[in-house]
Amino acid sequence: MGPGAGSSEAAAGVGALVSKAKRSWVVLWTLAVADLRARYGRGRIRLVKWLFDPFAAVGVYLLLVTLILDKQGAAPGLSIACAVVAFQIVLMTMVNAMDAYNSRSTTVLNMGFPRLLIPAASTLTESIAFAGSLLLLVLMMVIYGVSITVSILWFPLVLAINLLFAVACAYPVTLMGVWYPDMKPFVLSVSRTAFFLAPSLIPLSQITGAVSDWIKLNPLTGLFEGYRDALLYGQAPAAWELLYPLAIALLLLSFFVPLYRREQLHLAKMI
């Protein structure tokens, strides 16, 4: 076999991978769009709800901090928005993933496609819906007069880790949604507890003592502070703010993706 044959085989292998990636993307996009239409409906009212959801979530926490707890701080609305926006993509992905098989039961039972993509489709759905939250961050920066600095270049990396962490959470939650559907309230309660056990309403800089060290064990802490560093504080995120959530995400994926791959053929029988 000559060198030309080896090159041809390599090119064919690359072409096959590209073709597979394209097919996977088509499946992901189709699942996500169908999910969005089911949730937000059709027409102009869909756009209104899509834009209003993140503002409603931040508004509740902002009233709690500024009026009830009387903790102003620097740009409290933007600080809270950084935490809420980062958390919403994770929480809503988990909510979506819990019902992923039931909501797509007809598709799962009657169509052949890679079931391994279902948890990732939950994240893609929420990522599209998440785009409205970016407008909230921009608006908060304008309201509080926070200038854009070179640190904003870190934001895409922080966002990418945020999305990867959401994907990592989607796989175990999808399995739990099929195996133990009655556990949904418990999963959501644990998720919201994790939000409050992170520097969500109050930034990490205002938390002192041993609590400041313990709270860093929550991977949400690094995500929240990464958003604040890139958008509010005008500085590069600390290495642990990026590496720790990334490590937790990779650990979850390394365990639950193989488990999901092994169990996916049996999940449809439990719908």
Side-chain angles (χ1 to χ4, degrees), residues 1-96:
M1 181 181 295
S7 300
S8 299
E9 290 180 358
V14 172
L17 288 175
V18 171
S19 178
K20 183 178 180 180
K22 288 181 178 179
R23 289 196 301 269
S24 296
W25 172 250
V26 170
V27 173
L28 278 173
W29 183 255
T30 302
L31 291 172
V33 170
D35 200 10
L36 283 171
R37 287 175 177 170
R39 181 188 306 177
Y40 291 102
R42 300 175 182 272
R44 296 180 180 178
I45 192 66
R46 174 177 58 182
L47 178 62
V48 174
K49 184 179 186 302
W50 175 63
L51 292 174
F52 181 74
D53 280 350
F55 287 87
V58 171
V60 171
Y61 292 117
L62 184 59
L63 288 174
L64 174 65
V65 171
T66 59
L67 299 181
I68 299 177
L69 300 181
D70 193 25
K71 291 185 177 294
Q72 298 293 328
L78 178 57
S79 179
I80 293 172
C82 287
V84 171
V85 168
F87 178 65
Q88 280 294 100
I89 181 62
V90 177
L91 177 65
M92 295 311 297
T93 292
M94 295 174 69
V95 170
N96 189 306

Side-chain angles (χ1 to χ4, degrees), residues 78 101 132 256:
L78 178 57
Y101 267 78
F256 285 104

